[in-house]
């Protein structure tokens, strides 16, 4: 019979986590993401209105401009805009807190 210590063996150190730390995004951050994606694709608000209409989403250019300016819109609207803009993936980076 082998002698075993009464204390449990220490677990090995876990591998470093590769999961990013959670970042709180505010309306200004979400607005910036949407505006950056539009700019990256060279789209105007008028272009976005036309593309949203193809999805069955009716918005005027003025209404769209106001919604995006406020940054207060639903996740559904955000996704509709990204899809209309032709986004297949969006890079979300932590906002800079300088």
């Amino acid at each position: 019979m082998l002698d075993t210590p009464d204390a449990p063996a220490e677990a090995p150190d876990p591998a470093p986590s590769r999961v990013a730390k959670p970042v709180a995004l505010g309306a200004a951050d979400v607005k910036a993401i949407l505006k950056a994606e539009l700019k990256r694709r060279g789209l105007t608000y008028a272009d976005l209105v036309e593309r949203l209409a193809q999805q069955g989403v009716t918005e005027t250019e003025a209404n769209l401009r106001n919604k995006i300016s406020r940054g207060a819109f639903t996740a559904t609207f955000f996704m509709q805009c990204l899809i209309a803009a032709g986004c297949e993936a969006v890079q979300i980076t932590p906002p800079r807190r300088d």
Side-chain angles (χ1 to χ4, degrees), residues 47 64 76:
D47 296 330
L64 184 70
T76 300

Side-chain angles (χ1 to χ4, degrees), residues 2 15 20 27-28 34 38 53 59 64 66 71 73 79 84-85 91 94:
L2 294 174
L34 180 54
L38 293 174
E59 293 284 348
L64 184 70
N66 288 335
F73 39 79
M79 294 302 295
Q91 178 67 41

Side-chain angles (χ1 to χ4, degrees), residues 48-60 63-64 67 76-81 84:
L48 186 57
V49 166
E50 289 178 24
R51 290 175 176 220
L52 285 169
Q54 293 172 0
Q55 293 183 32
V57 179
T58 305
E59 293 284 348
T60 65
N63 190 35
L64 184 70
K67 268 188 182 182
T76 300
F77 178 76
F78 180 67
M79 294 302 295
Q80 288 169 332
C81 288

Side-chain angles (χ1 to χ4, degrees), residues 18-72:
R18 295 178 192 233
V19 176
K21 293 179 182 177
V23 176
L25 294 176
D29 301 314
V30 175
K31 172 177 72 171
I33 291 168
L34 180 54
K35 289 178 82 171
E37 292 300 326
L38 293 174
K39 185 171 185 168
R40 189 172 289 123
R41 289 163 176 76
L43 296 174
T44 64
Y45 289 133
D47 296 330
L48 186 57
V49 166
E50 289 178 24
R51 290 175 176 220
L52 285 169
Q54 293 172 0
Q55 293 183 32
V57 179
T58 305
E59 293 284 348
T60 65
E61 187 175 343
N63 190 35
L64 184 70
R65 185 179 311 280
N66 288 335
K67 268 188 182 182
I68 294 174
S69 175
R70 283 191 314 269

